[in-house]
Amino acid sequence: MTGGRTIDVPLTYDAHERGLTGDGVTNDQPAFARAVDELGAGYAADGRPRVLRCPPGVYSIRDAGTVWRSGVSLIGAGIGLTRFVLANPGNRADPTPLAFFTTLWHGAGRGNPIVDCTFAGFEIDGTGVELSEYDVQAKGLGLQYVLRGRFRDLYIHGTAATGLGCDFLQDCVIDGVIAIDCGRLDIHHEKGGAGIGVGIGGWGDVERLTITNCTTVGNGQSGIFFELQDAAWDRPRGIHVSGCHAEGNRFGISDWGADGLLLSGCTLVGNAEAGFDVSGEGTVGVGGRGGIVSDCLIDGNTLDGVSIGNTPGPYTVRGNRISGNGRHGYREHNLSRSIGPAGGIVIDGNDIWANGLDGIRFDCALTDAVVTNNRIRHNGMQTAPAGAGSGATVTYGPASLTDTAAHWPVDGHRGKTVTAGSVTAFVAANSATTLVLARPHGARHGWHGPVPAAGTAYRLPDPPTVRAGIAVAAPLVRSTVSRNRIWDDPAHATQTHGLWVTGAGTRSAGRMWDNDLTGNSVAP
């Protein structure tokens, strides 16, 4: 009973029978919102979840987002068959998510969550939403405080902000979601703008969330990120990510505040900064801690393969292939020097090879670090000497620089910063005459400024003279470095040293034993 009368709401609605047309022309948002409200009222009355089934069609959702209700599931006929096309031509101020329910606007919280909802088998096209400035709510799905939610077999693309941007997920599963070209208005590193973005901490010290078999490509921020939403909250345990692919994002997968994130069997390739990132990039500047990264392929990212910082530790990176990244394979560093030493970092059993600079580099203080059983070879690929050119042989494209007079070693400039006139860009790869530039998602080109005019003078820096298997550029206290094989290809040696302690680096009260450092190009 509700309001003194019986609610007679079927357990399943057919969208066409409830006024949605799916013809791609009619604005289906008002009928969509009415159906959600009716099904939600039924659930509130008797506690039995309802399903809104959307047959094949193109459902135009215009000028308003739909406030979601507990107990309402949205089920389509499959990706490409059931399509929701978001647009706001009549209300440019509205970010128009397909479904949202938030703390700020709707009172979402532990005592008022969205409960027992499934979103499955449909596509969200966000390319029609235009805004005068970035709005974090311009998502495909934007729910907060979700209990027993299921998100599966979805294709979300072209949203102005995060594709699937749901926060505080308890007993939830995200499976088989494809998020491509989301965060298209995030060209200045706004907060959000990811393929899949999950705010964490709202449920306390445990948030049970599993993300599996998802694909995130070309999104503005991370392919997948986890972001603590209040620095005073507990860092939650319980998050597991497996079998996911992250390519061409700013970061592949980011841990900005979880405790014990488990990341396994993922592919993190070709991202603009790092394949896997732990740092203070998130809203409250808190890095993750206690995580385990295992059995992943981390290859060809423009800067670093694994980048860890702003953490008190511990963190374990184990059994991964970390290769072909433009700068360091693994880098420990902090965005803020206010962070104290990280304790309990473990780098074990990884295959680290063909990265542009050092295989492993420590740029911040560590205590009780363990580096064992790694195979570190043929790093220091960034060997090309400084270069410069101008005039008739030099032309520029949105993501390229070509100098027909050049004779560069292939990929010898990868990971460098090229300067042309007053603008710069990162080099993702190079042939003998052409630099291929990393192009941030949402940017029309790879230059940090206007594309230079033909003939503009450019310059490329020299590589570092030392490019080591392991480089220590900060204090290491009580570290253990053992049973590593650190070597190079004798036919084309690029890794200058097995172990290098820089002027800023120290090792104290630690142990180093049973390492094989023979075969580097300059010295062990």
Side-chain angles (χ1 to χ4, degrees):
M1 299 288 290
T2 181
R5 62 187 180 86
T6 299
I7 296 292
D8 183 16
V9 179
L11 297 181
T12 300
Y13 270 7
D14 181 289
H16 289 179
E17 294 175 358
R18 308 308 299 180
L20 284 78
T21 66
D23 63 9
V25 177
T26 304
N27 182 9
D28 284 322
Q29 194 279 331
F32 183 57
R34 284 194 300 271
V36 170
D37 283 343
E38 290 171 8
L39 292 170
Y43 174 81
D46 59 23
R48 303 176 71 188
R50 264 67 172 182
V51 176
L52 177 60
R53 294 193 177 277
C54 291
V58 177
Y59 298 85
S60 180
I61 304 296
R62 298 200 295 268
D63 299 330
T66 298
V67 180
W68 211 252
R69 299 285 297 271
S70 280
V72 181
S73 292
L74 178 62
I75 309 297
I79 293 171
L81 294 174
T82 299
R83 298 179 58 214
F84 292 96
V85 178
L86 312 181
N88 61 345
N91 187 3
R92 290 300 189 196
D94 196 296
T96 316
L98 177 65
F100 71 135
F101 185 79
T102 70
T103 297
L104 179 62
W105 291 330
H106 313 112
R110 293 191 199 185
N112 184 32
I114 288 288
V115 180
D116 294 331
C117 295
T118 295
F119 298 85
F122 57 84
E123 174 182 340
I124 301 175
D125 179 349
T127 56
V129 174
E130 298 294 342
L131 299 165
S132 59
E133 59 184 17
Y134 184 81
D135 188 325
V136 296
Q137 297 301 330
K139 304 173 180 179
L141 298 172
L143 309 173
Q144 293 185 317
Y145 287 96
V146 180
L147 180 62
R148 298 188 298 274
R150 297 294 183 269
F151 305 84
R152 65 173 188 265
D153 300 325
L154 304 174
Y155 172 34
I156 306 174
H157 60 100
T159 54
T162 297
L164 194 161
C166 295
D167 302 336
F168 319 131
L169 305 180
Q170 190 71 286
D171 298 323
C172 291
V173 173
I174 301 173
D175 178 63
V177 172
I178 302 168
I180 296 179
D181 290 334
C182 298
R184 58 184 166 77
L185 292 187
D186 181 6
I187 59 175
H188 301 296
H189 298 168
E190 302 282 358
K191 303 304 180 186
I196 298 171
V198 181
I200 59 176
W203 289 100
D205 64 348
V206 175
E207 291 186 355
R208 298 175 292 273
L209 168 65
T210 299
I211 299 181
T212 57
N213 307 313
C214 294
T215 299
T216 57
V217 178
N219 299 290
Q221 187 58 265
S222 301
I224 303 172
F225 74 66
F226 305 95
E227 181 182 54
L228 189 69
Q229 297 295 290
D230 189 318
W233 286 354
D234 291 330
R235 283 70 165 160
R237 295 166 287 130
I239 301 171
H240 184 197
V241 182
S242 65
C244 293
H245 185 108
E247 179 180 353
N249 312 285
R250 182 187 175 202
F251 301 109
I253 296 178
S254 301
D255 178 1
W256 297 335
D259 182 355
L261 170 68
L262 300 180
L263 179 68
S264 61
C266 293
T267 301
L268 313 176
V269 298
N271 296 286
E273 293 197 25
F276 179 70
D277 178 69
V278 178
S279 72
E281 279 279 354
T283 300
V284 297
V286 173
R289 63 182 67 176
I292 300 174
V293 180
S294 64
D295 304 310
C296 294
L297 170 64
I298 305 171
D299 180 80
N301 300 287
T302 301
L303 301 183
D304 301 325
V306 175
S307 176
I308 292 183
N310 299 104
T311 179
Y315 228 98
T316 298
V317 177
R318 180 179 62 214
N320 305 282
R321 170 184 155 182
I322 306 174
S323 58
N325 301 288
R327 295 189 181 175
H328 307 289
Y330 176 104
R331 185 183 181 209
E332 188 83 26
H333 71 111
N334 288 329
L335 296 179
S336 168
R337 294 298 176 186
S338 64
I339 301 295
I345 299 296
V346 176
I347 307 171
D348 175 63
N350 300 284
D351 199 4
I352 302 173
W353 55 278
N355 298 288
L357 298 178
D358 308 309
I360 297 173
R361 184 176 181 90
F362 298 119
D363 276 324
C364 67
L366 299 176
T367 59
D368 297 302
V370 175
V371 183
T372 58
N373 300 306
N374 299 286
R375 299 166 305 284
I376 306 171
R377 66 186 191 277
H378 201 38
N379 296 287
M381 298 290 288
Q382 196 183 106
T383 59
S390 63
T393 63
V394 178
T395 56
Y396 295 89
S400 66
L401 182 163
T402 298
D403 185 350
T404 57
H407 301 282
W408 298 316
V410 173
D411 285 344
H413 291 302
R414 186 174 61 193
K416 290 185 180 181
T417 299
V418 59
T419 301
S422 62
V423 299
T424 61
F426 289 130
V427 179
N430 70 270
S431 67
T433 59
T434 298
L435 307 178
V436 178
L437 309 179
R439 176 155 54 181
H441 172 78
R444 290 174 294 177
H445 51 74
W447 298 98
H448 301 155
V451 177
T456 299
Y458 71 86
R459 60 186 182 278
L460 289 154
D462 269 318
T465 56
V466 179
R467 302 175 301 279
I470 300 176
V472 179
L476 265 60
V477 179
R478 299 190 303 274
S479 64
T480 298
V481 181
S482 67
R483 298 189 301 274
N484 300 287
R485 175 69 174 106
I486 308 174
W487 80 104
D488 207 344
D489 177 3
H492 181 59
T494 60
Q495 184 171 285
T496 61
H497 297 75
L499 173 68
W500 176 43
V501 181
T502 75
T506 60
R507 294 186 66 249
S508 60
R511 299 180 65 202
M512 176 177 289
W513 56 280
D514 202 20
N515 298 286
D516 186 345
L517 281 67
T518 60
N520 292 280
S521 66
V522 175

Coordinates of all heavy atoms in Angstrom, one line a residue, residues 101-113 144-145:
F101 N 21.7 9.7 -9.9 CA 21.1 9.8 -8.5 C 22.3 10.2 -7.6 O 23.2 9.4 -7.5 CB 20.5 8.5 -8.1 CG 19.8 8.5 -6.8 CD1 18.5 9.1 -6.7 CD2 20.4 8.1 -5.6 CE1 17.8 9.1 -5.5 CE2 19.7 8.1 -4.4 CZ 18.4 8.6 -4.3
T102 N 22.3 11.4 -7.1 CA 23.5 11.9 -6.4 C 23.2 12.4 -5.0 O 22.0 12.7 -4.6 CB 24.1 13.1 -7.2 OG1 23.2 14.2 -7.1 CG2 24.3 12.7 -8.7
T103 N 24.2 12.5 -4.2 CA 24.1 13.0 -2.9 C 23.7 14.5 -2.9 O 22.8 14.9 -2.1 CB 25.5 12.9 -2.2 OG1 25.8 11.5 -2.0 CG2 25.4 13.5 -0.8
L104 N 24.2 15.3 -3.8 CA 24.0 16.7 -3.8 C 22.5 17.0 -4.2 O 21.9 17.9 -3.5 CB 24.9 17.4 -4.8 CG 24.8 18.9 -5.0 CD1 25.0 19.6 -3.6 CD2 25.7 19.4 -6.1
W105 N 22.0 16.4 -5.2 CA 20.7 16.7 -5.7 C 19.6 15.8 -5.2 O 18.4 16.2 -5.2 CB 20.7 16.7 -7.2 CG 21.6 17.8 -7.8 CD1 21.8 19.1 -7.3 CD2 22.3 17.8 -9.0 NE1 22.6 19.8 -8.1 CE2 23.0 19.1 -9.2 CE3 22.5 16.8 -10.0 CZ2 23.8 19.4 -10.2 CZ3 23.3 17.2 -11.1 CH2 23.9 18.4 -11.2
H106 N 19.9 14.6 -4.8 CA 18.8 13.7 -4.5 C 18.9 13.0 -3.2 O 18.1 12.1 -2.9 CB 18.8 12.6 -5.6 CG 18.8 13.1 -7.0 ND1 19.9 12.9 -7.8 CD2 18.0 13.9 -7.7 CE1 19.7 13.5 -9.0 NE2 18.6 14.1 -8.9
G107 N 19.9 13.4 -2.4 CA 20.0 12.9 -1.0 C 20.6 11.5 -0.9 O 20.3 10.8 0.0
A108 N 21.3 11.0 -2.0 CA 21.9 9.7 -1.9 C 22.8 9.6 -0.7 O 23.5 10.5 -0.3 CB 22.6 9.4 -3.2
G109 N 22.8 8.4 -0.1 CA 23.7 8.2 1.1 C 23.5 6.7 1.5 O 22.8 5.9 1.0
R110 N 24.2 6.4 2.6 CA 24.2 5.0 3.1 C 22.7 4.7 3.5 O 22.3 3.5 3.3 CB 25.1 4.9 4.3 CG 26.5 5.0 4.1 CD 27.3 4.5 5.3 NE 28.7 5.0 5.3 CZ 29.6 4.7 6.2 NH1 29.3 3.9 7.2 NH2 30.8 5.2 6.1
G111 N 22.0 5.6 4.0 CA 20.6 5.4 4.4 C 19.6 5.6 3.2 O 18.4 5.3 3.4
N112 N 20.1 6.0 2.1 CA 19.2 6.2 0.9 C 20.0 5.9 -0.3 O 20.3 6.7 -1.2 CB 18.8 7.7 0.9 CG 17.8 8.0 -0.2 OD1 17.0 7.1 -0.6 ND2 17.9 9.2 -0.8
P113 N 20.3 4.6 -0.5 CA 21.1 4.1 -1.7 C 20.1 3.8 -2.8 O 18.9 3.6 -2.7 CB 21.8 2.9 -1.2 CG 20.8 2.3 -0.2 CD 20.1 3.5 0.5
Q144 N 25.2 7.4 -7.4 CA 26.0 7.4 -6.1 C 25.3 6.6 -5.1 O 24.1 6.6 -5.0 CB 26.2 8.8 -5.6 CG 27.1 9.6 -6.5 CD 27.5 11.0 -5.9 OE1 26.6 11.7 -5.3 NE2 28.7 11.4 -6.0
Y145 N 26.1 5.9 -4.3 CA 25.6 5.0 -3.3 C 24.7 3.9 -3.9 O 23.4 4.0 -3.8 CB 24.9 5.7 -2.1 CG 25.8 6.5 -1.2 CD1 26.1 7.8 -1.5 CD2 26.5 5.8 -0.2 CE1 27.0 8.5 -0.7 CE2 27.4 6.5 0.6 CZ 27.6 7.8 0.4 OH 28.5 8.5 1.2

